Amino acid sequence: MRTDLNRPTVTTTAATAAAARPAGLPARVRNLGILAHVDAGKTTVTERVLYLTGAVHRRGEVHEGTTVTDFDPQERDRGITIFAAAVSCSWDGHRINLIDTPGHVDFFDEVERSLRVLDGAVAVFDAVAGVEPQSEAVWRQADRHGVPRIAFVNKLDRAGADLDTAVASVRDRLHPAPLAVQMPIGREDGFTGVVDLLRMRAQVWTDGLDGCEEGPVPETLRDEAERRRRALEEAVAELHPAALEEFCTRGTLSAESLAAALRDLTRTGEAVVVLCGSAYRNRGIEPLLQAVVDYLPSPLDVPAVRGTLDGTEQHRPADPAAPFAALAFKVNATATGRLTYLRVYSGTVTKGDTVLDTATGRTERIARIVRVQADRHAETDHATAGDIVAVVGPKTTRAGATLCTPAAPLVLEPPTTADPVVSVAVEARRTADTERLATALARLVEEDPSLTVRTDPETGQVLLSGMGELHLEVAVEKIRRANGPEVAVGRPQVSYRETVTGGVTGLVYRHVKQDGGAGQFAHLVLDLEPLEPDPQSGPDGDTGAVRFEFRSTVTGGRVPREYVQAVEAGCRDALAEGPLGGHQVTGVRVTLTDGATHVKDSSETAFRTAGRLGLREALRAARTILLEPVVEVTATAPDDAVGAVIGDLAARRGRVTGQTSRAGTAQVTATVPLAELFGYATRLRSRTQGRGTFTTRPAGYAPAP
């Protein structure tokens, strides 16, 4: 028979137990994300879920630019997911709040903020490629957040697709126990359906028709299905005590016991349920939806959220009657207003309520509450514990802030934000647009906390920093497309320094000026020498701060004390521009050894001018060199890519200072000139198949070649 789309026949004890819980909303909610590598099929899976649940009436396609979740023009132009998009739908009496996350490594922070508010996830793998680098990265992110997952092996209709190979890659590279609960019917182009190993029933899909035909397992596949069912029972019995007891007693596991054990193992993270299909051809989505309902936890199944109040830890259960507490995890400026996305952890919020933003201490009014369908919104009067919604009204709330009842304040832990690794210089093409650019950049940072904007105090450039070159390219393009100012993007300038390696002794400088009024007279004798490195500074003896020492050995009052101070001030003025390229001068010691004054024409101004011009002359006479900023780079990469990483660092004039290895990964530490690190994030990812990461910290200055 053919199944009804909204009344699937797949039922288990876990689903029945969910239906038997209290009728409160949290028990009937699933908050999940779709995680995967780029092009594994996340967005296509999301589109098929929306279609099958009746949330949309036409299947969107990534290659046609008609998908619901990739609604941003840049996403449609590039054919990739850039921004995490939230959608809601219903299946088997449950509300599913789903977030389609980006798969590109540059948008790591979008995934991080999504995982912070999700209760479960579906990890999508390519049936040909298996576990790919970014799949591994997002899996580790989910591990850190303790988010239970099920796996969906997609694209089984492709040439070279193999479920067993994909499952083996999950076992070898991600290290959970993968438990395949389905067996494919047909291979590659001949893939038409799956065998449900729990109920031992075949489900077959026909092109052009919605729903699936369900029937007995074909005779040609029965032996293989029974073998796989037996292997599944044995694997579950090894991991689950109650299942082991039943298996030892009866020699087999019932479908109900197997489903209950799979749910327990999924929630604890000891195992991952694996399903398969082809999202593009609409095959395997109904069983995936039912697995979401059966195995992934509801808000009631996860521990009560933890927060702090006056330094003490508090727990808030997912109870609609508890005091209201929600975490703002995303802020988005739209044509209809400022949207703040919330995960409601406890209590109920109603349109018109006043809530407290504990990050700012300000109260905000909730003007509207909407359920989000990507770029479309459906208004609702209230939201309760377990909901993911967006609200209109808060004007200053930032991502990571806690909104709560003013009478019961609470601070929830915000999502972590990674440090930016790439920077570009941005400026308005027209001077009149400078203020507009500043406003546009402030809005960007408000919407995406992984972007930072700062003004370099030495070069005066406005620097936009992010997680990768594509990340920054998307951010700049977003300004342009939002009717913002024309933006010029350039490479950040490097702040060089100059210093002396050989000094000058006894340099005489006389400053005499007569312009009709009171004159200026100052006579100085200066010694200039290199300043010894500070033993407490960085590995190259220079932390980047301007190091300067001034002293006076003048005796007999030949230069009064106030004039000595003016000479020092003049020397400091001269350090702003060195003789080689106009860079700041550092690492010098100036000694005033002698001087002379005029009874009427000497003044502090005259001696300050003499100090500035005299030191400039001394610097031109001394031996000077150029210093370049260096940073300590710590690169982490798989063991098989260490040689390529070290070779690339050497090509960038890097000096490797250490290397450690642990659990299949290696950490390489090197000192590298900052100017050579532009573009390093992209190069490291390409040399490590996207699995390499790095951090930097300033390590001072070193002589430039």
Side-chain angles (χ1 to χ4, degrees):
M1 69 175 181
R2 181 170 298 280
T3 62
D4 185 322
L5 291 181
N6 293 313
R7 294 181 181 274
T9 61
V10 183
T11 57
T12 66
T13 299
T16 305
R21 290 178 187 149
L25 178 65
R28 312 291 288 181
V29 171
R30 298 292 183 272
N31 294 316
L32 69 139
I34 307 292
L35 313 174
H37 188 86
V38 176
D39 203 34
K42 299 182 309 301
T43 301
T44 303
V45 169
T46 304
E47 290 298 315
R48 298 306 183 262
V49 167
L50 294 178
Y51 177 72
L52 288 174
T53 57
V56 298
H57 303 291
R58 181 179 180 274
R59 287 178 289 195
E61 304 294 350
V62 174
H63 59 277
E64 294 177 357
T66 58
T67 59
V68 173
T69 52
D70 286 353
F71 59 87
D72 188 272
Q74 289 200 70
E75 294 179 309
R76 294 183 172 178
D77 291 347
R78 299 173 187 270
I80 62 172
T81 300
I82 296 174
F83 309 106
V87 292
S88 294
C89 56
S90 297
W91 180 262
D92 193 25
H94 292 71
R95 176 183 296 141
I96 297 177
N97 296 319
L98 190 152
I99 297 180
D100 180 21
T101 65
H104 196 285
V105 66
D106 279 17
F107 306 106
F108 165 94
D109 193 65
E110 287 278 333
V111 182
E112 186 74 15
R113 283 183 284 135
S114 298
L115 285 171
R116 172 64 180 81
V117 299
L118 294 174
D119 301 322
V122 175
V124 180
F125 301 100
D126 189 312
V128 177
V131 177
E132 296 174 272
Q134 189 59 15
S135 304
E136 189 173 348
V138 295
W139 189 275
R140 302 302 177 208
Q141 284 179 267
D143 280 342
R144 289 198 304 274
H145 288 278
V147 175
R149 281 139 283 170
I150 60 176
F152 181 70
V153 178
N154 192 26
K155 303 186 179 183
L156 272 179
D157 57 332
R158 286 184 57 196
D162 185 74
L163 174 63
D164 293 337
T165 302
V167 170
S169 70
V170 171
R171 180 184 299 106
D172 295 341
R173 295 183 60 175
L174 304 181
H175 309 298
L179 302 175
V181 296
Q182 293 175 336
M183 181 185 82
I185 298 175
R187 292 179 59 87
E188 301 178 352
D189 282 345
F191 171 69
T192 59
V194 298
V195 174
D196 180 351
L197 297 179
L198 271 71
R199 298 182 303 119
M200 293 301 286
R201 299 284 288 176
Q203 295 172 290
V204 178
W205 288 267
T206 304
D207 286 334
L209 297 175
D210 294 333
C212 64
E213 293 284 355
E214 185 172 305
V217 179
E219 286 298 327
T220 55
L221 298 176
R222 180 167 292 279
D223 290 345
E224 176 67 12
E226 290 177 351
R227 183 187 67 80
R228 289 177 179 259
R229 165 62 185 253
R230 184 68 176 180
L232 175 63
E233 292 178 358
E234 293 173 351
V236 169
E238 288 181 3
L239 299 170
H240 194 277
L244 176 61
E245 183 178 351
E246 180 178 334
F247 186 78
C248 292
T249 303
R250 298 179 52 206
T252 186
L253 291 176
S254 66
E256 293 76 10
S257 299
L258 196 54
L262 288 172
R263 178 176 173 82
D264 291 343
L265 294 173
T266 299
R267 289 175 55 187
T268 61
E270 296 178 75
V272 56
V273 172
V274 181
L275 300 97
C276 60
S278 170
Y280 179 68
R281 297 176 70 176
N282 209 31
R283 296 176 179 175
I285 303 302
E286 296 99 319
L288 175 62
L289 277 167
Q290 196 62 41
V292 166
V293 170
D294 290 349
Y295 304 128
L296 291 181
S298 75
L300 292 180
D301 297 322
V302 298
V305 68
R306 293 181 297 175
T308 57
L309 177 61
D310 297 330
T312 61
E313 184 174 279
Q314 290 196 1
H315 294 74
R316 291 278 174 88
D319 182 358
F324 170 70
L327 181 70
F329 65 95
K330 185 178 176 69
V331 174
N332 189 21
T334 68
T336 58
R338 188 176 186 268
L339 277 179
T340 303
Y341 290 75
L342 301 180
R343 162 65 193 268
V344 182
Y345 282 101
S346 69
T348 302
V349 62
T350 305
K351 184 170 66 172
D353 283 354
T354 297
V355 298
L356 174 67
D357 181 343
T358 55
T360 62
R362 296 182 52 173
T363 55
E364 301 277 3
R365 182 177 179 273
I366 305 299
R368 294 165 55 209
I369 304 173
V370 296
R371 298 202 181 279
V372 182
Q373 290 292 94
D375 59 340
R376 292 172 295 180
H377 314 127
E379 288 206 32
T380 183
D381 291 333
H382 67 280
T384 61
D387 264 338
I388 292 180
V389 295
V391 296
V392 179
K395 294 180 172 55
T396 59
T397 299
R398 306 292 293 268
T402 302
L403 297 182
C404 59
T405 301
L410 187 72
V411 179
L412 302 177
E413 182 183 356
T416 58
T417 301
D419 294 328
V421 296
V422 178
S423 302
V424 293
V426 294
E427 64 178 15
R429 291 191 182 275
R430 297 184 303 172
T431 305
D433 287 336
T434 302
E435 288 297 325
R436 289 180 63 203
L437 176 60
T439 301
L441 290 173
R443 187 181 301 114
L444 272 182
V445 173
E446 182 180 20
E447 294 187 4
D448 187 351
S450 62
L451 290 170
T452 61
V453 177
R454 65 183 178 88
T455 301
D456 190 299
E458 296 183 15
T459 66
Q461 289 182 311
V462 177
L463 300 181
L464 177 64
S465 305
M467 302 304 298
E469 293 173 3
L470 178 60
H471 188 200
L472 297 179
E473 183 182 327
V474 166
V476 172
E477 185 64 21
K478 191 171 184 180
I479 294 177
R480 291 172 177 155
R481 296 197 183 202
N483 297 319
E486 283 294 317
V487 181
V489 180
R491 182 170 170 154
Q493 297 177 7
V494 170
S495 302
Y496 290 94
R497 297 277 194 270
E498 297 177 26
T499 192
V500 298
T501 57
V504 176
T505 302
L507 183 136
V508 177
Y509 187 82
R510 288 172 61 87
H511 175 63
V512 180
K513 184 179 180 181
Q514 292 290 339
D515 52 7
Q520 293 187 17
F521 177 86
H523 177 89
L524 304 176
V525 180
L526 301 174
D527 289 350
L528 173 67
E529 60 184 322
L531 189 62
E532 295 82 4
D534 182 355
Q536 301 300 319
S537 65
D540 294 286
D542 196 332
T543 62
V546 174
R547 297 168 49 245
F548 170 69
E549 184 178 305
F550 179 87
R551 60 187 181 183
S552 172
T553 59
V554 178
T555 58
R558 294 177 60 82
V559 179
R561 179 175 300 176
E562 61 270 22
Y563 291 170
V564 171
Q565 294 174 346
V567 173
E568 180 178 357
C571 290
R572 291 187 181 276
D573 293 341
L575 297 178
E577 295 184 8
L580 294 181
H583 308 291
Q584 280 191 307
V585 179
T586 185
V588 296
R589 177 188 291 117
V590 175
T591 304
L592 177 64
T593 59
D594 202 358
T597 62
H598 186 275
V599 66
K600 295 177 62 176
D601 293 342
S602 291
S603 65
E604 290 186 23
T605 300
F607 272 88
R608 181 165 185 161
T609 301
R612 183 179 75 254
L613 299 178
L615 182 53
R616 286 184 178 177
E617 186 172 311
L619 288 170
R620 287 193 292 268
R623 294 195 303 273
T624 57
I625 62 171
L626 192 66
L627 298 175
E628 62 181 348
V630 295
V631 295
E632 184 182 82
V633 176
T634 302
T636 303
D639 282 338
D640 57 4
V642 170
V645 171
I646 292 177
D648 185 54
L649 289 172
R652 296 171 184 271
R653 296 191 287 123
R655 187 176 74 251
V656 176
T657 57
Q659 179 180 338
T660 59
S661 183
R662 184 177 63 183
T665 61
Q667 197 172 74
V668 179
T669 305
T671 303
V672 186
L674 178 61
E676 299 290 344
L677 278 185
F678 296 126
Y680 181 64
T682 301
R683 179 65 65 86
L684 176 65
R685 289 164 185 166
S686 67
R687 289 180 176 268
T688 61
Q689 295 183 312
R691 291 178 286 166
T693 60
F694 76 100
T695 59
T696 63
R697 70 176 183 86
Y701 281 71

